[in-house]
Amino acid sequence: MNKVLPFTVVCLFVVAVLGRVRVAEAVSCNPVELSSCSGAITSGMNPSSICCNKLKQQEECLCGYIKNPALGPYVNSPGAKRVASKCRVPIPSC
């Protein structure tokens, strides 16, 4: 019985630490973060590494952007789809 308590405490500690790390990794959805992609989307140029990094960071937010009437047409535009493809970020079907 004495050996079970320390093991349980260690397990709870690990779960608590991992839970905090996961919260710290949460993405803040902000479409303005994707402004570095605007040139590539509108001109047909290749996206910059900054654009691709931001797009990958915002990947979890894309479905929300698509559902937003003001942002959806941009995210679903041919230029945005081309940039996402070049950055290897899938556009979700929401």
Side-chain angles (χ1 to χ4, degrees):
M1 182 96 171
N2 288 342
K3 293 181 182 179
V4 173
L5 184 60
F7 178 75
T8 303
V9 170
V10 168
C11 286
L12 289 174
F13 176 77
V14 169
V15 168
V17 169
L18 290 176
R20 287 183 181 210
V21 169
R22 190 75 174 146
V23 170
E25 293 175 347
V27 174
S28 174
C29 294
N30 183 357
V32 176
E33 292 286 320
L34 300 175
S35 62
S36 59
C37 298
S38 62
I41 291 170
T42 58
S43 71
M45 297 181 335
N46 284 330
S48 66
S49 60
I50 294 170
C51 166
C52 288
N53 288 336
K54 291 293 185 178
L55 191 55
K56 288 174 185 171
Q57 290 172 0
Q58 295 281 311
E59 185 175 353
E60 295 178 22
C61 306
L62 293 178
C63 203
Y65 297 160
I66 289 170
K67 291 179 180 178
N68 182 319
L71 300 174
Y74 297 106
V75 178
N76 281 321
S77 72
K81 288 180 178 180
R82 183 187 54 75
V83 168
S85 175
K86 293 226 179 227
C87 292
R88 296 187 176 151
V89 175
I91 299 285
S93 57
C94 306

